[in-house]
Amino acid sequence: MPRIPWDQRNLLGRAERLATCTALKLSAAGRGFGELRVGEHLRICPQGYTCCTSEMEENLANRSQAELESSLRDSSRALQTMLATQLRGVDDHFQQLLNNSERVLQDTFPGAFGELYTQNAQAFGDLYTELRLYYHGANLHLEETLAEFWARLLEHLFRQLHPQLPLPDDYLDCLGKQAETLRPFGDAPRELRLRAPRAFVAARAFIQGLGVAGDVVRKVAQVPLSAECSRAVMRLVYCARCLGVPGARPCPDYCRNVLKGCLANQADLDAEWRNLLDSMVLITDKFWGPSGAENIISSIHVWLAEAINALQDNRDLLTAKVIQSCRNPKVNLQGSGPEEKPRQGKLVLQEKPSTGALEILVSEAKTQLRDVQDFWISLPGTLCSEKMAMSSASDDRCWNGMAKGRYLPEVMGDGLANQINNPEVEVDITKPDMTIRQQIMQLKIMTNRLRGAYGGNDVDFQDASDDGSGSGSGGGCLDDTCGRRVSKKSSSSRTPLTHTLPGLSEREGQKTSAASCPSPHTFLLLPLLTLVLAAARPRWR
């Protein structure tokens, strides 16, 4: 390849370019650096005078791709961390509310109700177990679960209140059929049936939304760059150095066009991403007030105490109505208990006022969710301004991809469809990335669930992390049991089955159900990718 002849007119430019070539020689392996040559051998950079060999150009292309991918992961990792932190904070709070409610029940019910509680402690424990499983995404029908609990409790307590009466199964069946009319527990079952499902579905939908959002970010961060994108990034970042142009930083609009082309598919997440975050902010309205999630979840024991109080108060009237409807059972003269057991005491519990902790957590979450609404369409600008040594203005001194000078093409719009005329990256708008399309669908599914939860409806939730690949943060079940509903006719020893949730640890579910599905890991944060670059790393921070 011919040497450039000595030319007094280009002495200063040649000296500057040789200095750049020398610096480049120190930063990468190869031969021939420090000499300006005609660049017909270049495949990516403009084929003018260059100090890069083919090998050097290939090395720099690989480096520019790795640096951009690392920067994308850094941005995604920061978002994942924020979502995971919000998930843990709100999730821990709701779990603590339910744990505190059960703890108050265990501390106060034995002294107040005696055997009416102690002989049925398992039934109360099973109720809290199923409430936890439901909160964690179990495929349970909460109204049926509550109805079953009240039916079992009525049978057990009626037996205890009348130990002298033989109560065969058909008699108890009759008792159960009359329960809705007799209202043995007063208004507590009806009120809890109306309020608890709405409260729990709002709380768990918000947590699931955070988990799905984090899972989407993690999967999108793993989408590889296209070959055309890698070439365009090479021209953007390193070709100025190959041409020996010192201090030429990319023109802002040039940088944006390159990254809008590279991240066109990611930008198509924008609409559904915004819908999801808006729905998550909206569902928090269901956390407050007398029927809000915080008040209901923290007061389950209050409803249970009121129910047992009502049963004791209505005992005689209840017995008379049962005998009238179901016949008068014969007295068991061999019975060990007295005909009239002494009445147990009453327990009056007050709902505890909110500590304000949830308001602080939700306020912070809402602020941060609003802040990241434009994450996907702002990525090109963010990376150009924060990760690249971009020029401060589009002037005659910035690198436009060919030389130092003004960048004239207009900036493309966001998304795949707007890249048809992108002057810097060749984008096939007819072939969208399927991984990202799948994540768009998961965002839609979760948004529909949140909207249903806002209206009090429990839409069946499908694990958004299940993409059939066996990867992701969801644990997944080894058989088809996760998809089956738990029958309300099964006994209290049944093993409820759960869906795994992306980004949510089922700590309580693991403790209470050995047959539940494996719990998913908390967010699988991408490992930190450290690139040891040479001293001449020019454009990425």
Side-chain angles (χ1 to χ4, degrees):
M1 194 170 292
R3 302 287 185 92
I4 299 174
W6 182 267
D7 190 336
Q8 183 68 33
R9 292 171 300 177
N10 294 327
L11 178 61
L12 179 59
R14 177 180 173 84
E16 291 175 331
R17 293 183 182 188
L18 283 173
T20 302
C21 289
T22 301
L24 195 58
K25 177 181 180 180
L26 298 175
S27 68
R31 294 175 296 176
F33 304 130
E35 298 178 354
L36 288 174
R37 297 172 178 270
V38 178
E40 288 91 348
H41 60 283
L42 298 181
R43 297 184 178 182
I44 300 176
C45 295
Q47 294 183 346
Y49 294 134
T50 180
C51 54
C52 285
T53 63
S54 297
E55 181 183 1
M56 182 60 187
E57 187 184 42
E58 182 179 355
N59 290 340
L60 291 176
N62 292 335
R63 172 182 289 185
S64 62
Q65 176 178 344
E67 289 169 348
L68 177 56
E69 290 175 343
S70 178
S71 296
L72 286 171
R73 289 190 181 99
D74 287 344
S75 297
S76 299
R77 187 181 297 112
L79 179 55
Q80 288 181 81
T81 300
M82 182 276 286
L83 293 169
T85 300
Q86 297 299 340
L87 186 150
R88 285 193 298 269
V90 178
D91 176 46
D92 287 347
H93 182 81
F94 280 124
Q95 290 198 70
Q96 191 62 40
L97 292 179
L98 196 57
N99 291 342
N100 289 343
S101 173
E102 184 174 25
R103 189 175 301 111
V104 173
L105 178 144
Q106 293 170 343
D107 291 343
T108 58
F109 277 38
F113 298 128
E115 291 183 357
L116 292 182
Y117 168 74
T118 57
Q119 292 188 16
N120 298 285
Q122 184 63 45
F124 289 99
D126 287 346
L127 175 63
Y128 278 91
T129 293
E130 295 193 332
L131 290 176
R132 287 189 184 91
L133 290 172
Y134 180 81
Y135 168 73
H136 283 128
N139 197 16
L140 298 172
H141 192 291
L142 191 53
E143 291 189 17
E144 293 182 359
T145 297
L146 290 170
E148 180 186 353
F149 164 76
W150 292 116
R152 292 202 311 267
L153 189 64
L154 176 60
E155 292 179 6
H156 295 166
L157 293 184
F158 197 81
R159 284 182 184 274
Q160 287 180 253
L161 293 173
H162 301 286
Q164 78 285 0
L165 299 179
L167 300 175
D169 289 342
D170 60 339
Y171 197 90
L172 293 177
D173 288 341
C174 178
L175 173 64
K177 292 176 182 179
Q178 301 297 319
E180 186 173 352
T181 303
L182 300 175
R183 296 174 59 240
F185 295 112
D187 292 331
R190 178 179 178 275
E191 291 296 316
L192 195 58
R193 176 176 58 84
L194 292 176
R195 299 188 186 189
R198 290 176 175 267
F200 276 90
V201 75
R204 82 172 187 172
F206 182 78
I207 296 301
Q208 288 169 348
L210 288 171
V212 168
D215 213 48
V216 167
V217 175
R218 177 182 63 81
K219 290 183 177 179
V220 172
Q222 297 171 350
V223 174
L225 299 177
S226 68
E228 284 299 323
C229 171
S230 298
R231 292 168 61 87
V233 173
M234 166 63 184
R235 288 192 294 269
L236 175 74
V237 177
Y238 285 114
C239 281
R241 294 217 160 198
C242 283
L243 298 184
V245 181
R249 298 187 297 172
C251 299
D253 288 352
Y254 172 38
C255 182
R256 293 188 185 98
N257 269 344
V258 170
L259 293 190
K260 279 178 180 283
C262 287
L263 304 176
N265 281 281
Q266 286 84 339
D268 283 346
L269 288 156
D270 177 68
E272 291 304 329
W273 178 260
R274 290 176 183 271
N275 288 339
L276 175 69
L277 300 191
D278 285 342
S279 299
M280 290 175 61
V281 170
L282 186 63
I283 198 67
T284 60
D285 292 343
K286 301 300 180 181
F287 290 175
W288 324 117
S291 297
E294 182 177 40
N295 183 64
I296 298 301
I297 293 175
S298 64
S299 303
I300 299 297
H301 60 286
V302 177
W303 301 99
L304 298 178
E306 291 179 0
I308 299 179
N309 288 337
L311 180 67
Q312 292 192 109
D313 291 342
N314 300 328
R315 171 186 170 179
D316 295 336
L317 180 60
L318 172 65
T319 302
K321 289 184 176 180
V322 169
I323 291 175
Q324 181 180 2
S325 301
C326 300
R327 65 180 166 81
N328 188 4
K330 297 180 180 180
V331 175
N332 183 8
L333 299 179
Q334 305 297 323
S336 57
E339 182 172 346
E340 289 291 334
K341 274 198 154 188
R343 295 177 183 270
Q344 301 294 334
K346 295 185 66 174
L347 178 61
V348 178
L349 298 172
Q350 300 295 326
E351 297 175 359
K352 291 185 178 181
S354 171
T355 61
L358 184 60
E359 288 90 337
I360 295 174
L361 288 169
V362 170
S363 176
E364 180 182 358
K366 289 166 69 172
T367 298
Q368 293 186 341
L369 291 176
R370 291 190 179 104
D371 288 344
V372 299
Q373 277 194 323
D374 63 347
F375 176 80
W376 299 108
I377 59 173
S378 67
L379 259 181
T382 299
L383 293 174
C384 283
S385 60
E386 295 182 0
K387 300 293 184 180
M388 298 188 63
M390 184 180 66
S391 174
S392 59
S394 294
D395 54 29
D396 294 334
R397 297 178 302 276
C398 61
W399 171 251
N400 63 17
M402 297 296 295
K404 288 179 68 174
R406 188 176 301 275
Y407 184 76
L408 298 179
E410 65 176 347
V411 178
M412 298 293 100
D414 300 310
L416 190 62
N418 287 318
Q419 307 309 310
I420 188 170
N421 293 319
N422 191 310
E424 309 305 335
V425 187
E426 183 178 341
V427 181
D428 187 349
I429 66 172
T430 66
K431 295 181 180 180
D433 183 88
M434 295 312 298
T435 297
I436 291 180
R437 298 296 135 176
Q438 289 171 357
Q439 298 315 303
I440 291 174
M441 181 57 64
Q442 298 310 320
L443 293 174
K444 288 182 179 180
I445 292 172
M446 191 65 238
T447 297
N448 288 336
R449 178 167 178 78
L450 283 159
R451 290 173 177 171
Y454 186 82
N457 300 316
D458 184 11
V459 181
D460 285 341
F461 179 71
Q462 295 180 355
D463 183 4
S465 70
D466 184 10
D467 58 3
S469 64
S471 63
S473 61
C477 289
L478 299 179
D479 50 36
D480 64 346
T481 53
C482 278
R484 296 201 298 263
R485 287 196 177 277
V486 178
S487 170
K488 73 174 186 175
K489 294 182 180 181
S490 58
S491 69
S492 60
S493 62
R494 66 173 182 261
T495 55
L497 304 165
T498 68
H499 289 308
T500 55
L501 303 182
L504 180 60
S505 171
E506 294 188 39
R507 296 183 293 273
E508 298 299 332
Q510 286 180 323
K511 297 177 182 178
T512 54
S513 176
S516 64
C517 296
S519 64
H521 300 295
T522 308
F523 282 99
L524 295 180
L525 299 179
L526 296 172
L528 181 61
L529 182 60
T530 56
L531 297 176
V532 181
L533 301 178
R537 177 176 176 176
R539 302 300 180 207
W540 301 85
R541 294 174 183 171

